[in-house]
Amino acid sequence: MKILLISNMYPSEQFPSYGVFVQNTEKILVQHGIQVDKIVMQKKTSKLSKLFSYASHYANVIVTGLTKNYDYLYVHYASHNALPLLILKKLKKNVKIVTNVHGSDVVPEVASQEKYQPRVNDLLHHSTKIITPSPYYKGLVEEKYKVHNPIYIFPSGGVNKDLFHPYTDKSQAYQELNLDPTIRYIGCVSRIDVGKGWEYYLQAIAKAEQQTPSSYKYLYVGSGKDEAAFKEMIKTLGLEEKVIHFPLLPQSSLAYVYNAIEAFVFPTVRKGESLGLVGLEAMACGAPVIGSRIGGLKDYIIDGKNGLFFEPKNVDELASQLQAFINLPEDVKQQMSQQALQTANRYTVDVIAEQLPTIFLMRWKNESRSFNSLL
C-alpha cells in the first residue's frame, strides 16, 4: 500500500513539538510496511513566509495528486488542507481521501476560523474515510456534518511509553529542570493562547494559596501569543515565587516535567479539545490529571480515580480541587497515580499501533467498524 501524507503541521529542528503527532502516525504506518510519501509544512514565524509556504504546499498537493497514484491521500487538519484536496478531487475523481480531523477543524476557536467550515464540510463528505481522536470528537463530527462516511477513532499517535514512563529515581527530572527536589510541584503544559485556560490556572493558584497557603510550587510549560499577558498576570497576582515558567520544551523534555510533578492541571475551555494527549502523557508518568470537564478529557478522566474534574472557567472549583489534591493522604495520591498509569496504558503506541494501518487496509464491507472498544 502507498499513502501520501498531507499536513500543514510537521516538526522541525527549531519547533520539534509542532505537529509531532502527525510524525508519530507516519512512523506507525511505515513500521507496518506501508510506503508513505509526504507533503508537509513546518512552522513559519512571519506572515510572508506563511503565505509562500501555503501557496507552495497547495500547488504541491494538486500537482503530486494529479501526476502520481496513491491508494490514499491521508490528510491531517481538514480546515487548512481542504482547498487543494477539493480542487484535486474535481480534477481526478478516483482519488481516495482519508481525513484526520483535529481541534478547530470542527469547533472554530476564533471568528477567523469560521470561514473554513464550508470547505471542511465538503471535504468530509468527499472523504472515503474519516479519523477522529476520541469518541467525543466522533460524536461532534456526526452531529455537525451529518456525514454517512465511515468514521474511525485513533488517538493522535498514542503515548510513547519509551519516552513517557514513571522514573524510579526522580532526581534526574529535578536536575534537568533545575528544580529543588525538596519542594513538591503541580504543573501544566500548554500553549499560552486563547482557549487554553492559562488565566484560570493562575487565578486558581492565587485563590487556593490565599485561602490555604501550601509549600507547593506550580509549573507552567509553554509559549504563545498571550505570553505577555500571562507574565503580567503572574505579577498582578503576586505569584512570582509560586509559579515557575518554562518556554515550550521539546517532547523529549516533557517526560522530566511529568515526572517532577505530582498532578497535571489541564484547564482548557476548548470544546474542540479533541483528545488532550498531553494529559495522557502525564498519566503515563504517574501524574493524575486535574482537568476541565470538557471535550476528549471526559473520555479518559475518571473523577476521584485517576484525576479530578472541575467545570471549565470555574476558578473557585479549580482552586478547591487543587487544595483537595494537595490535602489527600499519601496513600490515596499513590492510588490515583496507579490508576493514571493504568489509563495511559490503554493509549500506548504498542496497544493502538495496529489500529491505524487496519483503518487503511479494511475492506468496504467492514467500513462501519469503530475502534472505541479497543481504547
Side-chain angles (χ1 to χ4, degrees), residues 193-204 230 233 237 315:
D193 285 337
V194 62
K196 291 299 186 178
W198 58 266
E199 63 269 54
Y200 307 112
Y201 178 50
L202 294 181
Q203 291 166 9
F230 171 86
M233 184 175 286
L237 295 173
V315 172

Side-chain angles (χ1 to χ4, degrees), residues 18-126:
Y18 186 75
V20 68
F21 53 88
V22 177
Q23 187 180 59
N24 290 341
T25 59
E26 176 192 2
K27 289 178 180 177
I28 290 172
L29 293 172
V30 170
Q31 287 168 0
H32 284 76
I34 295 174
Q35 181 180 336
V36 179
D37 294 343
K38 58 179 178 282
I39 299 175
V40 295
M41 289 175 57
Q42 296 176 328
K43 188 175 179 66
K44 306 297 180 183
T45 55
S46 73
K47 289 184 178 180
L48 186 60
S49 62
K50 284 181 182 178
L51 179 63
F52 280 112
S53 185
Y54 269 104
S56 175
H57 180 70
Y58 285 6
N60 200 3
V61 169
I62 295 170
V63 171
T64 302
L66 286 173
T67 58
K68 296 184 179 181
N69 294 317
Y70 294 92
D71 294 288
Y72 292 103
L73 307 188
Y74 178 30
V75 57
H76 281 268
Y77 281 101
S79 56
H80 288 71
N81 293 282
L83 179 59
L85 287 168
L86 290 171
I87 293 173
L88 177 61
K89 188 71 176 176
K90 286 184 179 181
L91 298 174
K92 191 175 181 180
K93 296 187 183 299
N94 65 340
V95 167
K96 292 183 179 180
I97 301 171
V98 176
T99 302
N100 201 318
V101 286
H102 303 275
S104 59
D105 279 341
V106 176
V107 185
E109 297 171 16
V110 293
S112 61
Q113 294 174 343
E114 289 285 351
K115 63 186 178 184
Y116 298 115
Q117 283 302 296
R119 291 176 187 164
V120 170
N121 180 70
D122 288 348
L123 180 61
L124 293 180
H125 281 88
H126 283 90

Side-chain angles (χ1 to χ4, degrees), residues 136-342:
Y136 160 79
Y137 209 67
K138 178 177 183 286
L140 280 184
V141 172
E142 291 173 329
E143 179 182 354
K144 184 170 184 177
Y145 302 107
K146 305 296 188 292
V147 292
H148 300 292
N149 311 358
I151 303 177
Y152 303 92
I153 299 165
F154 180 74
S156 299
V159 176
N160 182 354
K161 285 289 284 184
D162 291 336
L163 180 59
F164 298 111
H165 57 84
Y167 295 170
T168 304
D169 181 5
K170 305 283 188 181
S171 61
Q172 181 185 5
Y174 296 125
Q175 184 176 351
E176 291 288 341
L177 298 171
N178 196 27
L179 296 176
D180 185 345
T182 66
I183 294 176
R184 293 185 165 193
Y185 301 94
I186 288 173
C188 176
V189 176
S190 178
R191 295 197 313 273
I192 307 177
D193 285 337
V194 62
K196 291 299 186 178
W198 58 266
E199 63 269 54
Y200 307 112
Y201 178 50
L202 294 181
Q203 291 166 9
I205 292 170
K207 183 174 286 288
E209 290 295 326
Q210 183 179 23
Q211 292 174 346
T212 310
S214 76
S215 59
Y216 278 70
K217 289 194 175 183
Y218 303 84
L219 308 185
Y220 197 104
V221 180
S223 303
K225 297 176 183 177
D226 293 340
E227 193 164 347
F230 171 86
K231 291 179 178 179
E232 182 61 32
M233 184 175 286
I234 288 177
K235 291 180 181 178
T236 301
L237 295 173
L239 295 176
E240 293 94 334
E241 298 301 318
K242 275 290 180 179
V243 175
I244 301 171
H245 177 222
F246 296 94
L248 188 64
L249 297 174
Q251 193 179 37
S252 57
S253 296
L254 292 181
Y256 299 132
V257 176
Y258 300 143
N259 272 279
I261 61 178
E262 289 189 2
F264 180 83
V265 179
F266 205 151
T268 180
V269 300
R270 297 171 62 234
K271 292 182 180 179
E273 195 70 64
S274 52
L275 175 63
L277 188 60
V278 289
L280 288 166
E281 290 170 346
M283 283 187 172
C285 296
V289 176
I290 303 172
S292 301
R293 194 186 298 272
I294 197 171
L297 280 68
K298 296 189 292 185
D299 289 328
Y300 64 82
I301 296 176
I302 305 172
D303 196 33
K305 296 294 185 181
N306 61 9
L308 298 170
F309 269 132
F310 63 93
E311 292 305 312
K313 300 184 181 181
N314 192 323
V315 172
D316 290 339
E317 190 175 9
L318 175 52
S320 177
Q321 295 294 52
L322 288 172
Q323 291 174 325
F325 180 83
I326 288 171
N327 293 327
L328 284 175
E330 292 303 313
D331 62 329
V332 177
K333 288 180 181 176
Q334 285 302 313
Q335 290 171 16
M336 292 186 75
S337 177
Q338 288 303 312
Q339 289 286 338
L341 286 169
Q342 291 178 24

